[in-house]
Amino acid sequence: MKKFFKFILNTIPRPILIRLSYVARPVLALILRGNKFTDPIDGKSFRMFLPYGYGTQRNNVLSPSTLSLERHRLLWLYLQNETTFFTAETKLKVLHFAPEQAFYKRFRNQKNLNYTTTDLFSPLADVKADICNLPFEDNQYDIILCNHVLEHIPDDTKAMQELYRILKTGGMGIFQIPQDLSREATFSDDSIVNEKERAKIFGQYDHVRVYGRDYFNKLRSIGFKVEEVDYTSKTSPELVQKYCLAKGEIIPVCYK
């Protein structure tokens, strides 16, 4: 199964995968139902989660029902338990980059959100836009979600500046990235253009860097106030295992 999923991820373009997943998801959820692992996003339980990874496959990480990964479930729990994202009485203006299927319909249906999605290629995007040249006014959004996007962007400094520009003063942004917390400094090399080499060095064929711990200070240099939130440390070990979270993953919560 792991080889099969790896082959699919590395050969089928992401926009097509998104469309195909709508057919596969209910079948997988039915086949794998059980009680060992639970997806906190929809509350459904399964005997196993699916493997995932463009290079090295991780076991029990992809939820059969919502297609959420560790980072999605962690973000959901943080938004649910530590913010007013789901409960704000005044309508929040939210911009979501590269909207994940696990969130898309749920956020769209929330009455307290004025919800807009954007991406260059995603079929789920309301606005087709380049993150380095956004068609949005200054100080426009209360909340910006931009998760696992910046590692794809050659000029991530410009992208961060655009995120800062369009976030309202006092607004919140969450900008998750693949983390290698053992690295002090981010590594990039523009001379690596071969997809197999990129996958080997950066972890995925369409990544252009591996972020280290200096990522948080780079966000600060743009102007953001950054909280490095290790939310799994506030979650019981039993729930970390039950929800299949990545223990120690840091959520970069950014304020303007």
Coordinates of all heavy atoms in Angstrom, one line a residue, residues 62-124:
L62 N -2.7 9.8 7.2 CA -3.7 10.4 6.3 C -5.1 9.9 6.7 O -5.4 8.7 6.6 CB -3.5 10.1 4.8 CG -4.4 10.7 3.8 CD1 -4.3 12.2 3.7 CD2 -4.2 10.1 2.4
S63 N -6.0 10.8 7.2 CA -7.3 10.3 7.6 C -8.1 9.9 6.4 O -8.2 10.6 5.4 CB -8.0 11.5 8.3 OG -9.4 11.2 8.4
P64 N -8.8 8.7 6.5 CA -9.6 8.3 5.3 C -10.8 9.2 5.1 O -11.3 9.2 3.9 CB -10.0 6.9 5.7 CG -9.0 6.5 6.8 CD -8.7 7.7 7.5
S65 N -11.3 9.8 6.1 CA -12.6 10.6 5.9 C -12.4 12.0 5.5 O -13.0 12.5 4.5 CB -13.4 10.5 7.2 OG -12.6 11.1 8.3
T66 N -11.5 12.8 6.1 CA -11.3 14.2 5.7 C -10.0 14.4 4.9 O -9.8 15.4 4.3 CB -11.1 15.1 7.0 OG1 -9.9 14.7 7.7 CG2 -12.3 14.9 7.9
L67 N -9.2 13.3 4.8 CA -7.9 13.4 4.1 C -7.0 14.4 4.8 O -6.1 15.0 4.2 CB -8.1 13.8 2.6 CG -8.9 12.8 1.8 CD1 -8.9 13.2 0.3 CD2 -8.4 11.4 1.9
S68 N -7.2 14.6 6.1 CA -6.3 15.4 6.9 C -5.0 14.7 7.2 O -5.0 13.5 7.3 CB -7.0 15.9 8.2 OG -7.2 14.7 9.0
L69 N -3.9 15.5 7.3 CA -2.6 15.0 7.8 C -2.4 15.5 9.2 O -3.3 16.2 9.8 CB -1.5 15.5 6.9 CG -1.5 14.9 5.5 CD1 -0.6 15.7 4.5 CD2 -1.1 13.5 5.5
E70 N -1.3 15.2 9.8 CA -1.0 15.6 11.2 C -1.1 17.1 11.4 O -1.7 17.5 12.4 CB 0.5 15.2 11.5 CG 0.9 13.7 11.3 CD 1.7 13.6 10.0 OE1 1.3 14.2 9.0 OE2 2.7 12.9 10.0
R71 N -0.6 17.9 10.4 CA -0.6 19.3 10.6 C -2.0 19.9 10.6 O -2.3 20.9 11.2 CB 0.2 20.0 9.5 CG -0.2 19.8 8.1 CD 0.7 20.5 7.1 NE 0.3 20.4 5.7 CZ 0.7 19.4 4.9 NH1 1.5 18.5 5.3 NH2 0.3 19.4 3.6
H72 N -2.9 19.3 9.8 CA -4.3 19.8 9.7 C -5.0 19.5 11.0 O -5.8 20.4 11.5 CB -5.0 19.0 8.5 CG -4.3 19.2 7.2 ND1 -4.1 18.1 6.4 CD2 -3.8 20.3 6.6 CE1 -3.5 18.5 5.3 NE2 -3.3 19.8 5.4
R73 N -4.8 18.3 11.5 CA -5.5 18.0 12.8 C -5.0 18.8 13.9 O -5.8 19.3 14.8 CB -5.4 16.5 13.1 CG -6.1 15.6 12.0 CD -6.1 14.1 12.3 NE -4.8 13.5 12.3 CZ -4.2 13.0 11.2 NH1 -4.9 13.1 10.0 NH2 -3.0 12.4 11.2
L74 N -3.7 19.1 13.9 CA -3.1 20.0 15.0 C -3.7 21.4 14.8 O -4.1 22.0 15.8 CB -1.6 20.0 14.8 CG -0.9 20.8 15.9 CD1 -1.0 20.1 17.3 CD2 0.6 20.9 15.5
L75 N -3.8 21.9 13.6 CA -4.3 23.2 13.4 C -5.7 23.3 13.8 O -6.2 24.3 14.5 CB -4.1 23.6 11.9 CG -4.7 25.0 11.5 CD1 -4.1 26.1 12.4 CD2 -4.5 25.2 10.0
W76 N -6.5 22.3 13.5 CA -7.9 22.3 13.8 C -8.1 22.4 15.4 O -8.9 23.2 15.9 CB -8.6 21.0 13.3 CG -10.0 20.9 13.7 CD1 -10.6 20.3 14.8 CD2 -11.2 21.3 12.9 NE1 -11.9 20.4 14.8 CE2 -12.3 21.0 13.6 CE3 -11.3 21.9 11.6 CZ2 -13.6 21.2 13.1 CZ3 -12.6 22.1 11.2 CH2 -13.7 21.8 11.9
L77 N -7.3 21.6 16.1 CA -7.4 21.6 17.5 C -7.0 22.9 18.1 O -7.7 23.4 19.1 CB -6.6 20.5 18.1 CG -7.0 19.0 17.8 CD1 -5.9 18.0 18.2 CD2 -8.3 18.7 18.6
Y78 N -6.0 23.5 17.5 CA -5.6 24.8 18.0 C -6.6 25.9 17.8 O -7.0 26.7 18.7 CB -4.2 25.2 17.4 CG -3.8 26.6 17.8 CD1 -3.1 26.8 19.0 CD2 -4.0 27.7 17.0 CE1 -2.7 28.0 19.4 CE2 -3.6 29.0 17.4 CZ -2.9 29.1 18.6 OH -2.6 30.4 19.0
L79 N -7.2 25.9 16.6 CA -8.2 26.9 16.3 C -9.4 26.7 17.1 O -10.1 27.7 17.6 CB -8.6 26.8 14.8 CG -7.5 27.3 13.8 CD1 -8.0 27.0 12.3 CD2 -7.2 28.8 13.9
Q80 N -9.8 25.5 17.4 CA -11.0 25.1 18.1 C -10.8 25.5 19.6 O -11.7 26.0 20.2 CB -11.3 23.7 18.0 CG -12.6 23.2 18.6 CD -12.8 21.7 18.3 OE1 -12.0 20.9 18.8 NE2 -13.9 21.4 17.6
N81 N -9.7 25.2 20.2 CA -9.5 25.3 21.6 C -8.8 26.6 22.1 O -9.0 27.0 23.2 CB -8.7 24.1 22.1 CG -9.3 22.8 21.9 OD1 -10.6 22.7 21.8 ND2 -8.5 21.7 21.6
E82 N -8.1 27.3 21.2 CA -7.3 28.4 21.6 C -7.7 29.7 21.0 O -7.1 30.7 21.3 CB -5.8 28.1 21.4 CG -5.3 26.8 22.0 CD -5.3 26.9 23.5 OE1 -5.2 28.0 24.1 OE2 -5.6 25.8 24.2
T83 N -8.6 29.7 20.0 CA -9.0 30.9 19.3 C -10.5 31.1 19.2 O -11.2 30.2 19.6 CB -8.4 31.0 17.9 OG1 -9.2 30.1 17.0 CG2 -6.9 30.5 17.8
T84 N -10.9 32.2 18.7 CA -12.4 32.4 18.5 C -12.8 32.2 17.0 O -13.8 32.6 16.5 CB -12.8 33.9 18.8 OG1 -12.0 34.8 18.0 CG2 -12.5 34.1 20.3
F85 N -11.9 31.4 16.3 CA -12.1 31.2 14.9 C -13.5 30.6 14.6 O -14.2 31.0 13.7 CB -11.1 30.2 14.4 CG -11.1 30.0 12.9 CD1 -10.5 30.8 12.0 CD2 -11.8 28.9 12.4 CE1 -10.5 30.6 10.6 CE2 -11.8 28.6 11.0 CZ -11.2 29.5 10.1
F86 N -14.0 29.7 15.5 CA -15.3 29.0 15.3 C -16.4 29.7 16.0 O -17.6 29.4 15.8 CB -15.2 27.6 15.7 CG -14.3 26.7 14.9 CD1 -13.0 26.4 15.4 CD2 -14.7 26.3 13.6 CE1 -12.2 25.6 14.6 CE2 -13.8 25.5 12.9 CZ -12.6 25.2 13.3
T87 N -16.1 30.7 16.9 CA -17.1 31.2 17.8 C -17.3 32.7 17.8 O -18.1 33.2 18.5 CB -16.8 30.8 19.3 OG1 -15.5 31.3 19.6 CG2 -16.8 29.3 19.4
A88 N -16.4 33.4 17.0 CA -16.5 34.9 17.0 C -17.9 35.4 16.7 O -18.5 34.9 15.7 CB -15.4 35.4 16.0
E89 N -18.4 36.4 17.4 CA -19.7 36.9 17.2 C -19.7 37.9 16.0 O -20.7 38.0 15.3 CB -20.2 37.5 18.5 CG -20.5 36.5 19.6 CD -21.0 37.1 20.8 OE1 -21.3 38.4 20.8 OE2 -21.2 36.4 21.8
T90 N -18.6 38.6 15.8 CA -18.4 39.5 14.7 C -17.8 38.7 13.5 O -16.9 37.8 13.8 CB -17.6 40.7 15.0 OG1 -16.3 40.3 15.5 CG2 -18.2 41.6 16.1
K91 N -18.2 39.0 12.3 CA -17.8 38.2 11.2 C -16.3 38.4 10.9 O -15.9 39.6 10.8 CB -18.6 38.5 9.9 CG -18.7 37.4 8.9 CD -19.9 37.5 8.0 CE -20.2 36.2 7.3 NZ -21.4 36.3 6.5
L92 N -15.5 37.3 10.8 CA -14.1 37.4 10.5 C -13.9 37.3 9.0 O -14.4 36.4 8.4 CB -13.4 36.3 11.2 CG -13.5 36.3 12.8 CD1 -12.9 35.0 13.3 CD2 -12.8 37.5 13.4
K93 N -13.0 38.2 8.5 CA -12.6 38.1 7.1 C -11.4 37.2 7.0 O -10.3 37.6 7.5 CB -12.3 39.5 6.6 CG -12.3 39.6 5.1 CD -12.3 41.0 4.6 CE -12.4 41.1 3.1 NZ -12.4 42.4 2.5
V94 N -11.5 36.1 6.4 CA -10.5 35.1 6.3 C -10.0 34.8 4.9 O -10.8 34.7 4.0 CB -11.0 33.7 6.9 CG1 -10.0 32.6 6.8 CG2 -11.4 33.9 8.4
L95 N -8.7 34.8 4.7 CA -8.1 34.4 3.4 C -7.3 33.1 3.6 O -6.5 33.0 4.5 CB -7.2 35.5 2.9 CG -6.5 35.2 1.5 CD1 -7.6 35.2 0.4 CD2 -5.5 36.3 1.2
H96 N -7.6 32.1 2.8 CA -7.0 30.8 2.9 C -6.3 30.5 1.6 O -6.9 30.3 0.6 CB -8.1 29.8 3.2 CG -7.6 28.4 3.6 ND1 -8.5 27.4 4.0 CD2 -6.4 27.9 3.7 CE1 -7.8 26.4 4.3 NE2 -6.5 26.6 4.2
F97 N -4.9 30.3 1.7 CA -4.1 30.0 0.6 C -4.1 28.4 0.4 O -4.0 27.7 1.4 CB -2.7 30.4 0.8 CG -2.5 31.9 0.6 CD1 -2.8 32.8 1.6 CD2 -2.0 32.4 -0.6 CE1 -2.6 34.2 1.4 CE2 -1.9 33.8 -0.8 CZ -2.2 34.7 0.2
A98 N -4.1 28.0 -0.8 CA -4.1 26.6 -1.2 C -5.0 25.8 -0.2 O -4.5 24.9 0.5 CB -2.6 26.1 -1.1
P99 N -6.3 26.0 -0.3 CA -7.2 25.5 0.7 C -7.2 23.9 0.7 O -7.3 23.3 -0.3 CB -8.6 26.0 0.3 CG -8.4 26.3 -1.2 CD -7.0 26.8 -1.3
E100 N -7.1 23.4 1.9 CA -7.0 22.0 2.1 C -8.5 21.4 2.1 O -9.4 22.0 2.7 CB -6.3 21.6 3.4 CG -4.9 22.0 3.5 CD -4.7 23.4 4.1 OE1 -5.7 24.1 4.2 OE2 -3.6 23.7 4.6
Q101 N -8.6 20.2 1.5 CA -10.0 19.6 1.5 C -10.5 19.4 2.9 O -11.7 19.4 3.1 CB -9.9 18.3 0.7 CG -9.7 18.4 -0.8 CD -9.6 17.1 -1.4 OE1 -8.5 16.6 -1.6 NE2 -10.7 16.5 -1.8
A102 N -9.7 19.1 3.8 CA -10.1 18.8 5.2 C -10.9 20.0 5.8 O -11.8 19.8 6.6 CB -8.9 18.4 6.1
F103 N -10.5 21.2 5.3 CA -11.1 22.4 5.9 C -12.1 23.1 4.9 O -13.0 23.8 5.4 CB -10.0 23.4 6.2 CG -9.0 23.0 7.1 CD1 -7.6 23.3 6.9 CD2 -9.3 22.2 8.3 CE1 -6.7 22.9 7.8 CE2 -8.4 21.8 9.2 CZ -7.0 22.1 9.0
Y104 N -12.0 22.9 3.7 CA -12.6 23.8 2.7 C -14.1 24.0 2.9 O -14.6 25.1 3.1 CB -12.3 23.3 1.3 CG -13.0 24.1 0.2 CD1 -12.6 25.3 -0.2 CD2 -14.1 23.5 -0.5 CE1 -13.2 26.0 -1.2 CE2 -14.7 24.2 -1.5 CZ -14.3 25.5 -1.9 OH -14.9 26.2 -2.8
K105 N -14.9 22.9 2.9 CA -16.3 23.0 3.0 C -16.7 23.4 4.4 O -17.7 24.2 4.6 CB -17.0 21.7 2.7 CG -17.0 21.4 1.2 CD -17.9 20.2 0.9 CE -18.0 19.9 -0.6 NZ -18.8 18.7 -0.9
R106 N -16.0 23.0 5.4 CA -16.3 23.3 6.8 C -16.1 24.8 7.0 O -17.0 25.5 7.7 CB -15.4 22.5 7.8 CG -15.8 21.1 7.8 CD -14.8 20.2 8.6 NE -15.3 18.8 8.7 CZ -15.1 17.9 7.7 NH1 -14.4 18.2 6.6 NH2 -15.6 16.7 7.8
F107 N -15.0 25.4 6.6 CA -14.8 26.8 6.7 C -15.8 27.6 5.9 O -16.3 28.7 6.3 CB -13.4 27.2 6.4 CG -12.3 26.7 7.3 CD1 -11.0 26.8 7.0 CD2 -12.7 26.0 8.5 CE1 -10.0 26.4 7.9 CE2 -11.7 25.5 9.3 CZ -10.4 25.7 9.0
R108 N -16.1 27.1 4.7 CA -17.0 27.8 3.8 C -18.4 27.9 4.4 O -19.1 28.9 4.2 CB -17.1 27.0 2.4 CG -18.1 27.5 1.4 CD -17.6 28.8 0.8 NE -16.6 28.6 -0.2 CZ -15.7 29.5 -0.7 NH1 -15.7 30.7 -0.2 NH2 -14.8 29.2 -1.6
N109 N -18.8 26.9 5.1 CA -20.1 26.9 5.7 C -20.3 27.6 7.0 O -21.4 27.7 7.6 CB -20.6 25.4 5.9 CG -20.8 24.7 4.5 OD1 -21.1 25.4 3.5 ND2 -20.7 23.4 4.5
Q110 N -19.2 28.1 7.6 CA -19.2 28.8 8.8 C -19.9 30.2 8.7 O -19.4 31.0 7.9 CB -17.8 28.9 9.4 CG -17.4 27.7 10.2 CD -16.1 27.9 10.9 OE1 -15.1 27.1 10.7 NE2 -15.9 29.0 11.7
K111 N -20.9 30.4 9.4 CA -21.7 31.7 9.3 C -20.9 32.9 9.8 O -21.1 34.0 9.4 CB -23.0 31.6 10.1 CG -23.8 30.4 9.6 CD -25.1 30.8 8.9 CE -25.9 29.6 8.6 NZ -26.0 29.3 7.2
N112 N -19.9 32.6 10.7 CA -19.1 33.7 11.3 C -17.9 34.1 10.4 O -17.1 34.9 10.9 CB -18.7 33.4 12.7 CG -17.6 32.3 12.8 OD1 -17.7 31.3 12.1 ND2 -16.6 32.5 13.6
L113 N -17.7 33.5 9.3 CA -16.5 33.7 8.4 C -17.0 34.3 7.1 O -17.9 33.8 6.4 CB -15.7 32.5 8.2 CG -15.2 31.7 9.4 CD1 -14.3 30.5 8.8 CD2 -14.4 32.6 10.3
N114 N -16.3 35.4 6.7 CA -16.3 35.8 5.3 C -15.0 35.2 4.7 O -13.9 35.7 4.8 CB -16.2 37.4 5.3 CG -16.3 37.9 3.9 OD1 -16.2 37.2 2.9 ND2 -16.4 39.2 3.7
Y115 N -15.2 34.1 4.0 CA -14.2 33.2 3.7 C -13.8 33.2 2.2 O -14.7 33.0 1.3 CB -14.6 31.8 4.1 CG -13.6 30.6 3.8 CD1 -12.4 30.6 4.5 CD2 -13.9 29.7 2.8 CE1 -11.5 29.5 4.2 CE2 -13.1 28.6 2.6 CZ -11.9 28.5 3.3 OH -11.0 27.5 3.0
T116 N -12.5 33.5 1.9 CA -12.0 33.6 0.5 C -10.8 32.6 0.4 O -10.0 32.6 1.3 CB -11.6 35.0 0.1 OG1 -12.7 35.9 0.3 CG2 -11.1 35.0 -1.3
T117 N -10.8 31.9 -0.7 CA -9.6 31.0 -1.0 C -8.8 31.5 -2.2 O -9.4 32.1 -3.1 CB -10.1 29.6 -1.2 OG1 -10.9 29.5 -2.4 CG2 -10.9 29.0 -0.1
T118 N -7.5 31.3 -2.2 CA -6.7 31.7 -3.3 C -5.6 30.7 -3.5 O -5.1 30.1 -2.6 CB -6.1 33.1 -3.0 OG1 -5.4 33.6 -4.1 CG2 -5.2 33.1 -1.8
D119 N -5.2 30.6 -4.8 CA -4.1 29.8 -5.2 C -3.9 30.0 -6.7 O -4.8 30.4 -7.4 CB -4.4 28.3 -4.9 CG -3.2 27.4 -5.0 OD1 -2.2 27.5 -4.2 OD2 -3.1 26.6 -6.0
L120 N -2.7 29.6 -7.2 CA -2.5 29.7 -8.6 C -3.1 28.5 -9.4 O -3.6 28.7 -10.5 CB -1.0 29.7 -8.9 CG -0.3 31.1 -9.1 CD1 1.2 30.9 -9.4 CD2 -1.0 31.9 -10.2
F121 N -3.2 27.4 -8.7 CA -3.5 26.2 -9.5 C -4.7 25.4 -8.9 O -5.3 24.6 -9.6 CB -2.3 25.2 -9.6 CG -1.1 25.9 -10.2 CD1 0.0 26.1 -9.4 CD2 -1.1 26.2 -11.5 CE1 1.1 26.7 -9.9 CE2 0.0 26.9 -12.1 CZ 1.1 27.1 -11.3
S122 N -5.0 25.5 -7.6 CA -6.0 24.7 -7.0 C -7.4 24.9 -7.6 O -7.8 26.1 -7.7 CB -6.1 25.0 -5.5 OG -7.2 24.3 -4.9
P123 N -8.1 23.8 -7.8 CA -9.5 24.0 -8.3 C -10.5 24.5 -7.2 O -11.6 24.8 -7.5 CB -9.9 22.5 -8.7 CG -9.0 21.7 -7.9 CD -7.7 22.4 -7.8
L124 N -10.0 24.6 -6.0 CA -10.8 25.0 -4.9 C -10.6 26.6 -4.6 O -11.2 27.1 -3.8 CB -10.4 24.3 -3.6 CG -10.6 22.8 -3.6 CD1 -10.2 22.2 -2.3 CD2 -12.0 22.3 -4.0

